[in-house]
Amino acid sequence: MSSRAQRIEEIAVDLTRQRSVTETIEEQLVTEKVHLFFQQMDYFKDNPEDLFFVPVPHDKWGRKSVIALLRGKKDPENNKTVVLIGHTDTVGISDYGDLKNFAHMPYELTELLHERKELLSKDAREDLESGDYLFGRGLFDMKTGDAIIMTLMEEIESRLDDFSGNILFAAVCDEEANSAGMRSCVPEIVRLRDENNLNLTGLINTDYMTSEYPGDENKYVYIGTVGKLMPSFYVVGKETHVGEAFKGLDPNQLVAELTRRINLNTDLSDTVEGESTLPPMSLKQQDLKPEYSVQTAKAAHAFYNFATHSQTPDVVLQKMKEVAEEAFKSVINDLNTQYERYCDLTGRAFEPYTYAPKVMTYNELKKQVVTDQGQEAVEALDREKEKWLIDDTVDEREYALKEVELLQTMWKNQEPVIIVYFTPPYYPHIYVKGDTDKEKNLLDAVAEAVTTTESDYTLVYKKFFPYISDLSYASAPENKGEIDALKENMPGFGTKYKLPLDAMQSLGLPVVDIGPFGKDSHKFTERLEKTYSFEVAPTLVSKTIDALLR
């Protein structure tokens, strides 16, 4: 093992040993550890202004990220700067059971798993017995990725007089939950760029990479990233006593039909250059009846994870409206079919229900309520919004639902309706086509790195990093119609849910993920393959950096 690989392993294990479960005070401790690492470098002792914390605004855990700007000395005129990012938080450890106290201790955990290897899956057991893997929460996702960046910056700092260009590293908190770290760092990166006249050439993330299917031996480099929206539905039915079941319209049936048409429907996958997103999947589905009674629910809601490669918010919104209209018609047809059969069974005269399928966007609902009630409606809504904004038990998703729910109850029309809107968060996709100089340079830099790196692994390019990540915040759509569809139909946008859209649009960077390899992220068998992760991936990152700075 090379000295570089040994150093990466040392730093990765040290970072992993500091537990940093997302949305806990522990995140602070690993942030301090990263800050101390850079603080001990001679460069940052001499240039303390280039190392600083970026606090998450109004964060109840007081979390912060670290930004370190390392400036080469060989050619002061070269203002080319590569941005690197990595997150320092992890998911929780409850899945480790009685081994949870060892979840963050890679060497000890790996040894203990040998004692119960018969309980592991065949793949995990084989990897354990091979000796090629280290197990542990966060070692793979993604503290080894952080260690790669930190080690490379340590190497560069040791030869700074011969290094041309700059490295800007953001070690961000909260990636596993709401990306509050990256969202607060983006404006700071833009500020550094503008104040120092930096030419930002591209953004590299070193988040993990894994097999895409059983038996997959490829190792991937992802140029670009998948995006994410959460189309949501507030469904109002017509309540009734269950003893008069056919006199109402069950919102649960409407939501169930929405899920049937949306969940894992590959017709809704977004395909670009032969790469398809996973189809949408349900993340929440419930009725909103607060108590038990024999009255049916009046309202229900659901939201879905919707991955994108090219589809923008306006396109997704229109698609979801169409799905909702089809679902509504289908439920009414089914209701009448069943009611007609029931009438035949009981000898009653059948008269079909004439519910008119009605689907609106949140923005359309808001305009209708304001048209009907004027400024009073706006003021009433604002009063309630102020209460929710200061209530830290109400998260961004619940806030969005509350706003839609209140607005609908204020509307004079209380007939059945489906309101379509977006629930936070939003992650833009980034499609690196090669249309701009920066995109071409990144594509060329990665190609050079891959073709000049000798290894026993099969390296494969792909256009989109397939996992939701902070890569998405390096850019954002600039078309007004696309963005307005998001802003006008995401309750809480700009107040409860803060997205630095202007800074993201200004940044406008092409992105690549070159990360360590392992398996079972977010599972108790999370593990890192050592050779690729400590030897090959760092070489690819280093060569890509060098090419982008030339």
Side-chain angles (χ1 to χ4, degrees), residues 301-322:
H301 88 118
F303 56 75
Y304 305 84
N305 188 82
F306 195 108
T308 65
H309 281 168
S310 64
Q311 294 175 13
T312 47
D314 55 329
V315 173
V316 175
L317 188 68
Q318 182 58 36
K319 281 193 173 188
M320 293 298 97
K321 279 190 71 177
E322 292 169 1

Side-chain angles (χ1 to χ4, degrees), residues 337-444:
T337 297
Q338 297 300 332
Y339 184 43
E340 184 174 16
R341 290 176 181 172
Y342 182 73
C343 288
D344 288 341
L345 289 171
T346 57
R348 300 177 186 177
F350 168 66
E351 291 186 17
Y353 288 100
T354 56
Y355 296 117
K358 189 166 187 61
V359 176
M360 308 171 71
T361 65
Y362 169 78
N363 192 42
E364 288 168 344
L365 172 66
K366 189 172 184 179
K367 286 179 178 178
Q368 190 63 58
V369 172
V370 173
T371 298
D372 291 346
Q373 300 186 29
Q375 190 61 26
E376 285 184 14
V378 176
E379 292 171 358
L381 185 61
D382 286 345
R383 283 194 297 270
E384 293 302 314
K385 285 160 66 174
E386 287 177 10
K387 296 176 189 176
W388 302 328
L389 286 170
I390 61 174
D391 184 351
D392 62 8
T393 66
V394 177
D395 74 2
E396 290 94 337
R397 284 148 292 281
E398 187 178 0
Y399 178 96
L401 172 62
K402 281 179 173 292
E403 195 169 314
V404 177
E405 188 173 31
L406 176 62
L407 204 57
Q408 191 278 327
T409 59
M410 292 167 65
W411 189 27
K412 65 183 181 182
N413 185 344
Q414 290 298 300
E415 291 301 300
V417 66
I418 298 178
I419 309 300
V420 187
Y421 64 103
F422 290 119
T423 291
Y426 167 53
Y427 291 80
H429 58 259
I430 299 179
Y431 178 18
V432 181
K433 302 177 185 178
D435 290 346
T436 67
D437 288 341
K438 285 187 178 182
E439 289 183 356
K440 289 173 187 172
N441 290 339
L442 180 62
L443 291 167
D444 290 345

Side-chain angles (χ1 to χ4, degrees), residues 54 175 181 435 477:
V54 180
E175 192 267 358
D435 290 346

Side-chain angles (χ1 to χ4, degrees), residues 213-229:
Y213 52 87
D216 181 12
E217 296 294 333
N218 294 325
K219 302 295 177 279
Y220 296 99
V221 174
Y222 298 99
I223 305 176
T225 188
V226 69
K228 165 178 171 159
L229 286 159

Side-chain angles (χ1 to χ4, degrees), residues 509-529:
L509 290 176
V511 301
V512 61
D513 187 89
I514 308 173
F517 175 77
K519 299 176 184 176
D520 289 356
S521 172
H522 297 195
K523 299 179 182 179
F524 87 96
T525 46
E526 176 179 346
R527 59 197 183 276
L528 178 88
E529 194 270 355

